[in-house]
Amino acid sequence: MSSKLDRARQKFVLREETKITFGGPSQQHWWDAEADEVDFGKEQVGDEMRWDQWAGIVERGRPQSLILFKTPPKLTKPRAAGPGPITGKDWAPMAKKHLQGRKTLLRTGGARACELGMNREEKLDGVVHDYGVHGLKKQGSGNKFEAAHGGTQIVDRCWRCLRKHIGARSFSAAGAPKYSARVRAAQWRHWRVGSDHWGETGGMFRALL
């Protein structure tokens, strides 16, 4: 029953995720968003470790805006602490799809580890990339907007919420469809933080009929 519920939630999330937008070119205000990557599981493959890595974008103050995408599996030595940061090659298509031209102040965890393909050689129009700002930030056109908080506190909370739902880190079949469904089910729960889960579940199943 649990796996069937995960698959139903996954189907709902994949459909509803396509409707999520961040900011917009016609908006008067810049939108504050965060992005980061996280690993939810790993499995032994011969003499190497294969990691189940995901990345996400979320708008501050809007938990239901969390978007996830799975990165290609990475192989490391068995004792590696993690798969390493997401590459610009993996990130750039998602950044262009969801953020380009949408007046977004994007915060990431660090300059070196989370450039995410938006360095000086590959800037995106309508996106200001930052990783720890306090006070006023000046945009190229001369407009100013307040950036009183820095870092990735919001998306870090997302990862804690998802990990809590998924359970202990898996050491087998991390990339299996069943495991991906579990991640999507955790995303569904995060969208509904503080809501009546039973009521939401009923609405979800009606929408899938």
Side-chain angles (χ1 to χ4, degrees):
M1 181 62 187
S2 177
S3 60
K4 290 181 180 179
L5 185 58
D6 284 348
R7 288 196 297 271
R9 287 174 173 174
Q10 179 186 39
K11 184 177 180 181
F12 176 81
V13 165
L14 291 176
R15 186 185 67 188
E16 294 301 307
E17 199 179 57
T18 62
K19 304 175 185 178
I20 295 175
T21 59
F22 298 93
S26 62
Q27 299 292 331
Q28 296 297 318
H29 305 287
W30 282 70
W31 296 85
D32 212 348
E34 295 182 7
D36 201 4
E37 73 276 343
V38 65
D39 63 274
F40 290 125
K42 60 182 179 179
E43 62 177 329
Q44 188 84 28
V45 181
D47 295 331
E48 296 179 301
M49 194 67 72
R50 181 166 62 190
W51 295 82
D52 191 60
Q53 186 186 51
W54 297 67
I57 310 170
V58 64
E59 184 181 312
R60 287 195 174 194
R62 194 160 66 103
Q64 66 272 23
S65 69
L66 177 64
I67 287 177
L68 296 180
F69 53 96
K70 196 174 186 302
T71 65
K74 293 184 178 181
L75 294 176
T76 68
K77 295 180 179 180
R79 294 187 179 182
I86 185 175
T87 66
K89 180 180 179 181
D90 294 334
W91 166 256
M94 298 303 297
K96 291 177 180 178
K97 177 180 178 180
H98 295 290
L99 303 176
Q100 188 169 28
R102 308 201 67 82
K103 292 185 177 180
T104 304
L105 172 61
L106 181 68
R107 305 178 190 279
T108 59
R112 188 178 298 274
C114 296
E115 276 295 332
L116 303 182
M118 291 186 293
N119 49 36
R120 292 181 179 179
E121 290 74 30
E122 191 178 356
K123 288 187 175 180
L124 293 178
D125 293 334
V127 178
V128 175
H129 180 212
D130 220 319
Y131 53 91
V133 177
H134 298 276
L136 291 177
K137 175 83 176 174
K138 187 174 182 179
Q139 199 263 341
S141 62
N143 296 326
K144 292 183 179 180
F145 50 88
E146 188 172 357
H149 302 283
T152 55
Q153 300 94 330
I154 306 302
V155 74
D156 288 343
R157 284 195 211 110
C158 295
W159 301 151
R160 287 197 295 272
C161 178
L162 268 61
R163 285 186 187 277
K164 183 177 180 180
H165 181 75
I166 293 170
R169 179 180 292 174
S170 173
F171 286 85
S172 63
K178 181 178 180 180
Y179 199 84
S180 294
R182 187 67 176 165
V183 172
R184 291 296 185 178
Q187 181 183 3
W188 174 88
R189 183 173 290 276
H190 177 76
W191 281 357
R192 284 148 181 81
V193 171
S195 66
D196 179 355
H197 294 297
W198 284 106
E200 294 288 353
T201 303
M204 176 191 66
F205 281 120
R206 286 195 295 272
L208 293 175
L209 292 177

